[in-house]
Amino acid sequence: MLPFLKRILPYFTLRWSMAGVLLGLMGYSGQAQTDLPPVVTAVGDFVYCPLTTTPIVTSFNITDPDDTEIDAFFVQISVGYERNTDRLTLTGNHPNITTSWDAIQGKLTIRGPGGGPVQYTDLIPAIYDLEFESTSVTPQASKQFSLTIGSANYLPQTGHYYEFVPLVGITWNNARVAAENRTFFGLQGYLATITSVEEARLSGEQAAGTGWIGGSDAAQEGRWIWVTGPEAGTVFWNGGVSGSSPTFAFWNIAEPNNLPTGSGDEDYAHVTSPNIGVPGSWNDLPNEGASSGDYQPKGYMVEYGGLPGDPVLQLSASTNMVTPVVVSTQENSRCGDGSTVLEATVVYGDALWFDENDNLLFTGPSFTTPPLTQSTTYYVLASQNGCTNGIKVPVQATVNSLPIIDDNIVFRNCDEDGVSDGFTDFNLHEITPLVTLGDSNLTVSYHPSRLDAENNTGQLNELPYNNMAGGTIYARAWNNFGCALVSEITLDVSTTAFPPNFMATLEECDNDEQDGFYSFLLDAAIPDVLAQFPVGQNLTVAFYKNLDDAVLEQNAISGTTGYVNETAFTQVLYIRVENLDNGNCVGIGPYLQLQVLPLVDFDLLDTELILCDGSEVEAGVANQAGDYQYEWRDGDGTLIGYDAFVSIDAPGRYSVVAISEFGCLSPVQEVHVELSAAPVLTNELIAVEDAGSINTITVLDEGQNLGRGNYEYALDSPFGPYQDSPVFVDIEPGLHVLYASDKNGCGADQITVGVVGIPKFMTPNNDQTNDTLSILGLTPGDYSSASLVIMDRYGKLLAQMDAFESAWNGEYNGVPLPASDYWYILNLVDSEGKEHRRTGHFSLKR
């Protein structure tokens, strides 16, 4: 083949749609049948040192049995490209080579002198001198380079080619046809189907423009499928903005939103303009798109490869590059001074460890630090071949402090077990705050000896512990870091007493049900309890259900969260008083009585009331448990009554409280009063659909047009049946009476409605039934004029009349017509002057 022809054939051929509309620009059509396509081979696997340069091939060749030159050659960073930081550059002396760099596509174009054809003998050595460089200190860990014949972008993962065809304003349907009319070296084109992140980036963010791709939900709204290419029929998205993908999708923010732009539903996928949202992502548009701006289609993306019958080509090759990266680190800590071990996991290289002054300390995944007296940050770098460029990842070696405790404590308990022998049960949990000096972040265990405490062995039962087993014990206290110290504890026993005949009392009104139980705040009794002891002491009061709990200081009852008495109406609790300064027991015994006053209880006659507009409704109480006074209030809190019953003339929420002779208040009860009203039917609120095959009557009740009530509807009978739906379907032509009734009994209304239509048959046999054909449902209020034309099946005019005034008797020029089907045209003019034309046919039966 002549070199000139070989250079021009790879460009896309012009093809036309059935309507003669130009659908594409010049594109690749592949080699002629008598010409063999070139074969491109390349080898290269490189490890990149950040902020340096590296070649992209170790071996490269083009085998072309027919030619010695090519128009252009293309090298692209097809995977892992980072715009504004990555670049391909030709080095060395190549006088017969010219290059141009496309930063959007990440592609270098190589041509001959003056932009003309390039000789293979010049191209091959130039490829060896191509170098990659990046200004980023943290480039992506993996990149791939595509070396290809033809300007279409090549993706190694799919083996497919991608090309953006610019054509402003092209529709999706025309773009689909145009794409399928394009070929690339014999590969059939189709609107691109995007199934991976790499494919989305190459065909979107790295494309020469943004345009249509092969996705659509036109067949079923919200079910997006690929309708082109080898993935045709594959679902890739279900739903709208909040939908999900069973495979892969790359919608832009708040897409797909199906927001019409004036050209119909948005049923077709489009790569979004780079001015909007995430670069290279998608949005949905109608078939025509917008007429201008960012949502106007600027072209379409064609994909080549993967279809049955495509030739097997080797027009492209790819090479790989990786950058060493730290994928994980493991920090470490210790208690007190000393060394620790730090860990790092690195791919594509070694782990280099540095101190804060950038001194290299160690190479390897596990680094043992020097002895430390404080927490220190070290830095690890992923490197190969001695490269020290890149980001150093901080790794912390932490030195944790030991806990601060009281290491010598004397703890006293009251000897109230009935035997005054100096021995009693202790609750060792009560000693914990003294050991930790109030630090709740410390954990404490108790042991019979210091050695046991240091080794965390021989742990004592903390509840109960009797000092007969040993008057000196040891507490082990450790912090959240696991660092521990030991405290020595001496257990002592004392005897004390409350004043004789003392009893504190708490009274509350029953407020739940008439059961005598109430939730008491026991702390309300503390002032009365502390008044029994000399002032000037730092005392605390705790409450218990029984003596054992009080002695062992276990199962204490909260004085602030509410305690419900366990016996109806009254219960006696135990009190324990201690000195907070030394833990000494000051007093213990059954000194708190709880008393529950009777419940104030009643029922409401009704909690939901209907107030008909313009009237009053009465609210009241029933089943009172006593002689009460009442307070009724409206929604603003205004007092409106004191008796058991009150009249209400406005909708809203009302509340009532009962007050007993003891001053106890009942729980608040509420009555909801809802306003209702009779409906008001007008012609403006009635919509009649009688131009189709199924007639409907609809009551338009949006925005409470009928009134404030809850309505039901019936047709042609005030006795029903009634329905909740305001729509009546399949209504026979004629005049009908529509009824609307308030479900709450506040009234009803009716209106006459006309459904225009012609009977399906007539029987002019003088039996007074269907003898003539007339228009049913016509009302002068709805239509100003109505004319009826009747024809036979051949279009012969048989009759023409005013439908308001006349009916057809089945005769033509006084002669009865035979039984057959006849056709009609009904011309109507409504009350607003609009013309309506209806046609159909009916049967004449004899």
Side-chain angles (χ1 to χ4, degrees), residues 164-298:
F164 173 73
V165 179
L167 191 56
V168 175
I170 187 172
T171 67
W172 185 91
N173 285 327
N174 286 343
R176 177 181 181 181
V177 175
E180 292 171 356
N181 282 332
R182 301 179 73 86
T183 59
F184 179 76
F185 286 92
L187 300 176
Q188 174 66 46
Y190 52 90
L191 282 183
T193 56
I194 314 303
T195 60
S196 69
V197 173
E198 293 79 11
E199 200 174 7
R201 291 196 63 184
L202 191 66
S203 63
E205 185 178 353
Q206 283 184 249
T210 58
W212 296 114
I213 57 177
S216 173
D217 71 340
Q220 180 179 337
E221 184 64 38
R223 184 175 182 266
W224 286 87
I225 63 173
W226 297 116
V227 297
T228 60
E231 289 82 14
T234 300
V235 177
F236 67 90
W237 187 259
N238 290 301
V241 173
S242 301
S244 61
S245 173
T247 53
F248 172 81
F250 192 41
W251 294 109
N252 209 333
I253 300 168
E255 297 283 356
N257 55 28
N258 196 34
L259 294 178
T261 60
S263 301
D265 289 342
E266 298 189 336
D267 292 333
Y268 303 96
H270 183 273
V271 179
T272 311
S273 165
N275 301 325
I276 301 173
V278 181
S281 60
W282 312 335
N283 65 288
D284 54 341
L285 288 177
N287 179 52
E288 294 81 3
S291 59
S292 62
D294 287 330
Y295 293 106
Q296 179 189 37
K298 302 300 190 293

Side-chain angles (χ1 to χ4, degrees), residues 75 88 103 141 143 146 156 193 199 252 292 310 375 411 471 473 500 519 527 529 591 657 670 719 721 818:
V75 183
L88 295 173
K143 296 180 186 289
S146 297
T193 56
E199 200 174 7
N252 209 333
S292 62
D310 279 351
S375 297
F411 185 76
I473 60 175
S519 179
V529 173
Y591 299 123
V657 173
E670 289 191 347
F719 305 107

Side-chain angles (χ1 to χ4, degrees), residues 715-763:
L715 196 64
D716 294 329
S717 172
F719 305 107
Y722 280 86
Q723 64 182 44
D724 291 334
S725 172
V727 180
F728 293 88
V729 182
D730 201 13
I731 307 303
E732 291 293 330
L735 295 178
H736 299 271
V737 179
L738 176 67
Y739 299 89
S741 176
D742 179 40
K743 292 183 179 181
N744 299 311
C746 290
D749 197 7
Q750 68 184 60
I751 191 172
T752 299
V753 181
V755 178
V756 177
I758 292 179
K760 296 180 180 179
F761 63 90
M762 64 179 294
T763 56

Side-chain angles (χ1 to χ4, degrees), residues 48 50-52 84-87 132-139:
Y48 180 64
L51 304 180
T52 65
N84 302 324
T85 61
D86 292 358
R87 186 180 178 90
F132 167 82
E133 61 179 334
S134 173
T135 59
S136 172
V137 294
T138 57

Side-chain angles (χ1 to χ4, degrees), residues 62 75 91 208 277 358 409 480 492 619 638 649 658 666 680 706 713-714 726 764:
I62 294 182
V75 183
T91 64
D358 211 30
I409 296 173
N480 292 334
D492 196 10
T638 303
D649 60 2
S666 72
V680 178
L706 290 181
Y713 310 90

Side-chain angles (χ1 to χ4, degrees), residues 687-711:
V688 177
E689 291 291 338
D690 52 13
S693 60
I694 299 178
N695 301 325
T696 63
I697 299 175
T698 303
V699 182
L700 306 176
D701 191 23
E702 298 180 0
Q704 295 185 331
N705 295 322
L706 290 181
R708 293 287 300 272
N710 183 13
Y711 304 118

